[in-house]
Amino acid sequence: MSRRLRADGAAALAGLVAAAVALGAGELIAAVLGARPPVVVVADWVVDLLPGGLLRFGETTFGTNDKPALVVTIVLVSLVLGALLGPLAARLPGAGGAILTAFGFVAWLAEQRDVTVSTLDGFLVGAGGALAGYVALKWLLRTATDADAAPTAATLPGRGTAGRRRFLAFAGTATAGAALATVLGRSLESGVDIEAQREQVSLPQPGVDATGAGLDVAEITPLVVPNDEFYRIDTAFAVPRVNSSTWRLRVTGMVDRPFEVTFDELLAAPSVEESVTLCCVSNEVGGDLVGNAVWRGVPLADLLERAGVQAGATQIVGRSVDGFTVGFPTEAALDGRTALVAYGMNGEALPAQHGFPARLVVAGLYGYVSATKWLSEIELTALEAFDAYWIPRGWAKQAPIKTQSRIDTPRRNATAGTVPVAGVAWGGIRGISRVDVRITRSGESSGTWHRARLGEALSSSSWRQWVVEDWRPEEGEYRLEVQATDGEGTPQTEARHEPAPDGATGLHTVTVRVRAA
């Protein structure tokens, strides 16, 4: 191998290790200061810049792993850029400092998008990571130069080999340090102890027993989904850890009396409890991005009455501490449906991943236009004056939940005899009045409809369990289709449509092979 190729390879390794050191140092500094890791805030920024088509591609390709996939991609891109930086910095001494300064500047700009991070803390995260990377790069390049130096009469035998060993040892030590800083940063991530804060919140037990309510059918989804099983879909790459003692909720915009409330004031305000089913607009027919819980919180209408909504304020914008926004018609908070600034979920304070200390819960609307987690501001504005986060990315501005139903059991195989067919159905604020299941044996042109028995209706905004108990199939293959009818008497449409731009439609269908008893 030529000396130039050997030198370029060492410089590339130096640049890659320096990038790793910069990322690890930024992670550790961010954790100490209570900021979010640079990789995470940059990933948030990238998502905000991506067009809706690419975001939907990511969701379709990676599902709920789309965020980790993007973070890994950003880390890999950073390391590759570092490897390209090394040879450039070896030839142009000023290039390393300039590019790593740019790295720190981008990290600082990304940190500034988080309202919980001060300008100084954001600067320290970006500058600290860049400085650590620059120092590592300089030392590695110097060691690489020493390792590649041509032997002279004054050089002791074997010096070149010893120099390369020294370079590799330094590179290995720096890499280990970067990994240790990352691990330590993750372990220290935010000094805010959310669980300790949650334990201090005393809430009445919900009126619904989450463990005993619902139909007694094996494998059916619970009527009330436990907190640790409730689906999570949001744009946050790292769960914001908000200190409830310093948290404030501001009510602003087109109101007569703007104000803010503390968490203690919110807990002391008159509250209500209601069972509400939330659903993600990305939920496919038969998907599991839907769940029912018992929420406790302050009616949004009470806060709007205190603020005094001005004429023309036709939209409510909810803002999260990480900058995410939703927007929905003001009428949805005033028409009698459940619309809460919620702080309780199934008898407990909100878990961190579901929005502690407070979030919006608006019955009948898909989450992307209503369900702001880690809520920091409620702004009144006009519908035409502001488009929330997902609207420019191709999703509809008006997003009422569509009537849907799902078969939970059986999903694939069954044994001849009596086989219960069961699942859940939901219809936004319209409720569910009826569920029917069509069963078609393989080879037959048409099937037979069976009326399902409905479970308890906790509220008009809650899903209902259902079961067909009298199906007694023989051995063979069968197609099962479920169709719900909402509380207004409108059947669920059979027309199949993808989730974009305003929710999926169609009947959930499963094929079941029945074995001989």
Side-chain angles (χ1 to χ4, degrees), residues 216-229:
D216 185 16
V217 179
E219 299 184 23
I220 195 172
T221 303
L223 179 59
V224 177
V225 179
N227 292 354
D228 59 352
E229 298 177 15

Side-chain angles (χ1 to χ4, degrees), residues 415-431:
T415 303
T418 301
V419 178
V421 183
V424 290
W426 59 96
I429 59 174
R430 302 174 301 279

Side-chain angles (χ1 to χ4, degrees), residues 32 98 127 267 399 513:
V32 171
L267 293 176
R513 183 176 296 278

Side-chain angles (χ1 to χ4, degrees), residues 32 35 71 82 85 110 118 129 142 145 188 201 205 274 278 294 312 315 351 400 438 461 479 493:
V32 171
V71 169
L85 168 63
S118 70
R142 181 178 300 175
T145 301
L188 294 175
V201 179
Q205 284 301 304
E274 188 62 273
L278 299 185
V294 180
Q315 180 176 207
R438 179 163 55 192
S461 305
R479 185 178 73 252
T493 179

Side-chain angles (χ1 to χ4, degrees), residues 148-176:
D148 199 52
T152 67
T155 302
L156 295 176
R159 180 182 174 190
T161 301
R164 284 192 290 275
R165 288 175 178 169
R166 188 163 53 251
F167 168 74
L168 292 175
F170 189 87
T173 301
T175 302

Side-chain angles (χ1 to χ4, degrees), residues 132-386:
Y134 177 72
V135 171
L137 179 63
K138 293 292 287 184
W139 274 99
L140 282 163
L141 288 177
R142 181 178 300 175
T143 308
T145 301
D146 291 343
D148 199 52
T152 67
T155 302
L156 295 176
R159 180 182 174 190
T161 301
R164 284 192 290 275
R165 288 175 178 169
R166 188 163 53 251
F167 168 74
L168 292 175
F170 189 87
T173 301
T175 302
L180 179 61
T182 301
V183 172
L184 185 58
R186 289 300 169 95
S187 66
L188 294 175
E189 195 172 277
S190 178
V192 179
D193 189 340
I194 299 298
E195 293 309 310
Q197 294 183 65
R198 292 182 67 236
E199 290 174 0
Q200 294 175 2
V201 179
S202 178
L203 301 179
Q205 284 301 304
V208 177
D209 180 5
T211 59
L215 298 178
D216 185 16
V217 179
E219 299 184 23
I220 195 172
T221 303
L223 179 59
V224 177
V225 179
N227 292 354
D228 59 352
E229 298 177 15
F230 204 92
Y231 80 98
R232 178 199 165 197
I233 292 290
D234 50 59
T235 63
F237 283 82
V239 174
R241 304 183 69 81
V242 183
N243 190 334
S244 61
S245 64
T246 59
W247 173 85
R248 300 290 185 273
L249 172 61
R250 298 185 299 135
V251 182
T252 65
M254 297 175 64
V255 296
D256 296 327
R257 298 173 294 276
F259 67 93
E260 64 178 35
V261 294
T262 66
F263 188 53
D264 287 340
E265 290 171 338
L266 191 69
L267 293 176
S271 65
V272 297
E273 175 191 273
E274 188 62 273
S275 172
V276 176
T277 296
L278 299 185
C279 183
C280 178
V281 71
S282 296
N283 196 42
E284 301 279 354
V285 172
D288 58 2
L289 301 181
V290 58
N292 188 63
V294 180
W295 309 92
R296 177 172 291 276
V298 176
L300 185 53
D302 290 358
L303 299 176
L304 298 185
E305 181 180 4
R306 175 178 170 181
V309 178
Q310 297 176 357
T314 53
Q315 180 176 207
I316 295 174
V317 175
R319 284 191 171 83
S320 171
V321 298
D322 64 357
F324 176 77
T325 56
V326 304
F328 56 93
T330 305
E331 179 185 4
L334 305 174
D335 62 5
R337 75 179 71 196
T338 300
L340 303 175
V341 174
Y343 50 76
M345 182 179 183
N346 294 335
E348 302 177 1
L350 287 173
Q353 66 268 29
H354 292 299
F356 182 87
R359 63 171 295 164
L360 285 176
V361 172
V362 183
L365 299 180
Y366 284 117
Y368 82 99
V369 296
S370 65
T372 313
K373 301 176 185 177
W374 315 289
L375 184 65
S376 66
E377 182 181 7
I378 295 171
E379 179 188 2
L380 276 294
T381 185
L383 273 170
E384 64 276 9
F386 180 79

